[in-house]
Amino acid sequence: MNKLLPVLIFVFSSTIAFSQVSHSSELYKTLKEKDSLLFTIGFNHCDINQFERLLSNSFEFYHDQSGITPTKVDFVSGIKNGLCQMAYKAERKLVDSSLSVFPLYRNGVLYGAIQTGEHTFYAIEKNGSSHLTSIARFTHVWLLEKDDWKLSRGLSYDHQVFDKPQDKNQVNKK
């Protein structure tokens, strides 16, 4: 029993130390707000200033279909000259229930967080109609840089693409 006790304490404390934060925690709320600024304002309205403000200068983006975007400059340019120039307006919606935040500590001091979740993407046509284009998972690494949260790494993966509006019925089978 004496040998088992330290192992049990370690396992129990590791679970607490590395578990996701509560949805009512300040960290969760802060990063959910940053997500909203980045996507609801930045992505959905092509507000390039949001990307400039929220992305770390060392930002990298990994996408399971379009590959690696190695710099902040390349990423912002891709948004500006790609997403914002499409024939339809793209809209991203967070699946609220999927969002999780995991704090990162160095020597007991919070330095960053991992944010994971699912999001859906829609095409809003010029006539106002919209349809689901894809569903994906994301993982974001946020770092505290001079007391400000910056997105350092973005991963978007497990895309399920829907080419036609009627394909969205497949979502219910997921």
Side-chain angles (χ1 to χ4, degrees), residues 28-53:
Y28 181 91
K29 290 177 186 177
T30 297
L31 292 186
K32 186 172 182 185
E33 178 185 346
K34 297 291 184 184
D35 178 272
S36 181
L37 290 171
L38 192 66
F39 286 99
T40 305
I41 296 173
F43 186 93
N44 292 352
H45 295 286
C46 285
D47 184 340
I48 300 303
N49 291 329
Q50 295 302 319
F51 295 100
E52 293 288 352
R53 286 186 330 100

Side-chain angles (χ1 to χ4, degrees), residues 59-107:
F59 179 74
E60 294 176 355
F61 182 65
Y62 300 85
H63 194 281
D64 65 349
Q65 295 178 345
S66 60
I68 300 170
T69 306
T71 68
K72 175 181 178 175
V73 171
D74 291 339
F75 185 80
V76 171
S77 176
I79 296 291
K80 190 177 192 178
N81 299 315
L83 173 76
C84 298
Q85 302 300 319
M86 294 192 311
Y88 62 87
K89 179 182 176 278
E91 182 177 76
R92 180 261 196 179
K93 292 183 181 178
L94 173 67
V95 177
D96 279 328
S97 62
S98 72
L99 191 65
S100 296
V101 174
F102 302 85
L104 299 172
Y105 295 96
R106 181 183 306 123
N107 298 323

